[in-house]
Amino acid sequence: MGKSEMDKQAQMRKEVGNAFFRKDKLGAAIDSYTEAIALQPNVAVYWTNRALCFRKKKEWTRVEEDCKRALQLDRNSHKAHYMLGLVLLEKEDYTGAISEIGKAWDIMRSIAPHSEKADELWRVLAKAKFMEWELTSSEHHWRLQSLKEVCENALREYSFLHEESGDSTPNYLSGQLQLLNEVFDKASKADVPTDVPDYLCCKITFDIFTDPVLTPSGITYERSALLEHLKTVGNFDPITRQPLKESQLIPNLAIKGAVQEFLKEHGWAYNMA
């Protein structure tokens, strides 16, 4: 069988696999993709298609193997990066997951920056970052609590020794413990979720901005929410009611930068993205 014939046969097996996948016949789809791989092992999409089947079956080890093979063949396979990121999320390797899903998001933004797929990848990336914040926040809280207990014990010991020598005033210990509590309360407040400032949130969705755009009226909206409004409601600004077309929208880079800085300091806000 010549190379062109092998290419053709492999493509046919892939199409058969796609048909099985759409019918949720995952075993048959895996067999078909495996046949395509046997014919043409250097085509990344055959590996990612099979990985997608393993993902639906939650066979994460097989997903990881196929995605790594696909990435050896095509470093720009957003599907492989994405599914590998999901594998790492299952392993609670949040740093690795964020890296892989972030790569998938960057690739998709370069292909279709305002697509539903890009928005979906951002939501998964934000979820991963929130999960990482939850873990680090819990660890940070535990360390602070442990340090606070050490400091309290040291103060009590210090106060006890100085009481015996007559160098300590009766209210010394209570005053120092109150001051210590104030210091640790301030240290822990950075990890406590509060409200996101209004100027960082879309006036349609009330969620923190991902892709903010400015209208001629001077109002900033989330791009996808505003485009949906223009498509389903009408070509006008939702607040000012002034006529508005998609071509008039300008990326609000200042707000986007402010959001990124806010998220760096307040990881809990990824849960609102």
Side-chain angles (χ1 to χ4, degrees), residues 203-256:
K203 291 177 173 55
I204 297 175
T205 66
F206 302 107
D207 291 331
I208 194 167
F209 284 117
T210 300
D211 186 11
V213 290
L214 187 66
T215 68
S217 301
I219 300 174
T220 300
Y221 300 96
E222 180 64 32
R223 182 188 293 273
S224 60
L226 184 55
L227 292 181
E228 181 66 19
H229 166 85
L230 297 178
K231 178 181 176 182
T232 60
V233 182
N235 291 317
F236 56 88
D237 188 300
I239 292 179
T240 67
R241 317 294 287 185
Q242 294 296 315
L244 179 64
K245 296 180 180 179
E246 181 179 352
S247 59
Q248 295 175 285
L249 305 181
I250 301 173
N252 193 328
L253 300 181
I255 290 295
K256 189 169 186 176

Side-chain angles (χ1 to χ4, degrees), residues 75-96:
R75 297 304 302 176
N76 290 319
S77 172
H78 68 275
K79 291 182 180 178
H81 282 298
Y82 173 60
M83 286 188 284
L84 183 55
L86 296 182
V87 171
L88 295 172
L89 274 182
E90 287 291 318
K91 294 182 176 182
E92 297 185 357
D93 178 0
Y94 300 123
T95 301

Side-chain angles (χ1 to χ4, degrees), residues 4 18 77 84 97 112 114 143 147 173 193 215 236 251 258:
S4 61
N18 291 349
S77 172
L84 183 55
H114 309 310
R143 289 195 299 270
L147 180 59
L173 178 59
T215 68
F236 56 88

Side-chain angles (χ1 to χ4, degrees), residues 176-197:
Q176 292 299 303
L177 288 175
Q178 181 178 348
L179 181 61
L180 185 69
N181 282 329
E182 291 174 0
V183 170
F184 278 93
D185 283 346
K186 288 181 180 179
S188 63
K189 278 185 178 179
D191 279 340
V192 178
T194 55
D195 292 328
V196 177

Side-chain angles (χ1 to χ4, degrees), residues 10-198:
Q11 182 65 22
M12 287 176 60
R13 299 317 302 161
K14 175 199 152 187
E15 295 301 328
V16 171
N18 291 349
F20 280 131
F21 182 83
R22 286 192 292 270
K23 295 178 181 178
D24 209 30
K25 296 182 177 179
L26 300 179
I30 288 170
D31 289 342
S32 295
Y33 294 137
T34 301
E35 291 171 3
I37 289 170
L39 289 165
Q40 288 291 12
N42 293 326
V43 179
V45 70
Y46 300 159
W47 295 91
T48 53
N49 280 14
R50 191 171 72 172
L52 186 57
C53 296
F54 289 132
R55 175 195 166 191
K56 292 197 74 172
K57 290 166 68 70
K58 299 188 183 303
E59 295 182 15
W60 298 108
T61 300
R62 301 297 300 275
V63 175
E64 183 174 10
E65 291 171 352
D66 279 5
C67 286
K68 285 183 175 179
R69 178 58 178 151
L71 288 172
Q72 289 175 353
L73 299 168
D74 180 8
R75 297 304 302 176
N76 290 319
S77 172
H78 68 275
K79 291 182 180 178
H81 282 298
Y82 173 60
M83 286 188 284
L84 183 55
L86 296 182
V87 171
L88 295 172
L89 274 182
E90 287 291 318
K91 294 182 176 182
E92 297 185 357
D93 178 0
Y94 300 123
T95 301
I98 289 167
S99 175
E100 291 299 327
I101 298 170
K103 290 174 185 175
W105 184 51
D106 287 339
I107 293 167
M108 180 53 62
R109 283 193 299 168
S110 68
I111 299 171
H114 309 310
S115 65
E116 290 184 8
K117 186 63 179 177
D119 290 343
E120 178 188 345
L121 286 171
W122 164 249
R123 286 191 292 271
V124 177
L125 179 60
K127 178 183 177 182
K129 290 190 175 186
F130 176 74
M131 293 169 73
E132 181 184 48
W133 169 82
E134 279 191 311
L135 178 63
T136 56
S137 177
S138 296
E139 293 174 347
H140 178 65
H141 178 76
W142 180 84
R143 289 195 299 270
L144 278 179
Q145 190 61 34
S146 298
L147 180 59
K148 181 181 177 183
E149 291 174 3
V150 170
C151 293
E152 286 176 343
N153 290 335
L155 276 174
R156 289 189 175 95
E157 183 176 346
Y158 177 86
S159 178
F160 175 75
L161 292 173
H162 283 68
E163 279 178 3
E164 289 188 334
S165 63
D167 295 335
S168 177
T169 61
N171 296 325
Y172 173 80
L173 178 59
S174 61
Q176 292 299 303
L177 288 175
Q178 181 178 348
L179 181 61
L180 185 69
N181 282 329
E182 291 174 0
V183 170
F184 278 93
D185 283 346
K186 288 181 180 179
S188 63
K189 278 185 178 179
D191 279 340
V192 178
T194 55
D195 292 328
V196 177
D198 289 343

